Amino acid sequence: MNKKEYFKDRGIEPKHYWMVSEWVNYLKPKKVLDVGCGRGPYLVALKEFEVECYGIDKSEEAIEASLVPNLVTLGDIKQIPYPDNSFDLVICIDVLEHLNLEEIPIAIKELIRVSNKYILCSICMVNEYGVDPNWFRDSTHKTLKSKVWWMEQFLYEGCELEQIPQDWLFWQQLLLFKIK
């Protein structure tokens, strides 16, 4: 599958609005960065909730097909093009598992650097229910680790683990960290 095909059918779905509603009502962010935003479906939903938001993605094809081209810029998780402490909430949805093992600490440090309050990640991982079935549906996945392993990576960098409400959609694959 080429990159254009990868992003072709990835648009806005009801789940994006539902998830964003949960995040916004619980975390109350004023300014959000979506790292690895793809075409920007979470940005579309965030705008509906009147949250200032921006996105970066390293794929030129995703940027070209963006649903919100004025909010998305080309950028890499290993060198996020924003100043320190710029965002109340940094979301990183289904991105970290696409990195090689040696890239993960660099990416985590960058997420922490640009956040001043929270980081919310959705990661295709092994959790208490087994391997996330999405792992097998995407050939671009590179790193499969346990939920505990992912938590430890953020805790090692100085973040505090926050409890995810268990009524949130896909709560099993979400991790929420607070910046100290």
Side-chain angles (χ1 to χ4, degrees):
M1 168 186 325
N2 69 38
K3 289 181 183 177
K4 283 194 187 228
E5 288 174 359
Y6 186 83
F7 290 103
K8 183 180 74 166
D9 295 323
R10 295 177 180 248
I12 187 84
E13 300 173 38
K15 72 175 182 179
H16 297 114
Y17 291 102
W18 186 356
M19 293 169 74
V20 164
S21 170
E22 293 168 336
W23 306 340
V24 168
N25 289 325
Y26 188 78
L27 301 171
K28 311 224 181 300
K30 302 276 187 260
K31 190 174 178 184
V32 176
L33 177 64
D34 185 353
V35 178
C37 65
R39 295 186 64 208
Y42 293 105
L43 298 172
V44 172
L46 284 159
K47 290 305 285 179
E48 289 292 320
F49 287 90
E50 299 180 358
V51 175
E52 182 181 354
C53 58
Y54 304 92
I56 66 165
D57 202 286
K58 74 174 193 171
S59 168
E60 291 182 20
E61 290 81 6
I63 303 296
E64 289 171 13
S66 178
L67 302 167
V68 283
N70 58 325
L71 300 178
V72 178
T73 58
L74 197 60
D76 191 307
I77 191 172
K78 297 181 304 291
Q79 193 172 3
I80 298 173
Y82 285 96
D84 296 1
N85 307 310
S86 295
F87 300 91
D88 305 317
L89 173 62
V90 175
I91 61 174
C92 186
I93 308 300
D94 301 326
V95 174
L96 292 171
E97 66 270 23
H98 294 270
L99 300 177
N100 292 317
L101 204 53
E102 63 274 4
E103 296 173 303
I104 291 168
I106 300 164
I108 289 172
K109 286 176 185 165
E110 277 295 281
L111 295 172
I112 293 167
R113 182 185 65 77
V114 297
S115 178
N116 62 42
K117 197 165 188 183
Y118 293 111
I119 298 169
L120 178 65
C121 298
S122 173
I123 306 170
C124 192
M125 63 181 131
V126 180
N127 60 31
E128 56 271 26
Y129 303 101
V131 176
D132 184 325
N134 289 317
W135 176 262
F136 305 103
R137 295 183 184 131
D138 189 335
S139 63
T140 65
H141 289 155
K142 295 179 179 176
T143 300
L144 179 62
K145 295 289 184 181
S146 71
K147 189 172 198 171
V148 170
W149 185 90
W150 285 106
M151 286 188 271
E152 288 172 347
Q153 305 315 298
F154 282 87
L155 296 174
Y156 179 79
E157 295 300 336
C159 293
E160 292 179 3
L161 181 65
E162 294 282 308
Q163 189 68 35
I164 293 282
Q166 292 190 3
D167 60 347
W168 280 13
L169 192 60
F170 306 119
W171 68 271
Q172 304 93 331
Q173 66 195 47
L174 294 173
L175 293 172
L176 177 63
F177 299 97
K178 189 168 186 177
I179 304 301
K180 289 184 183 179

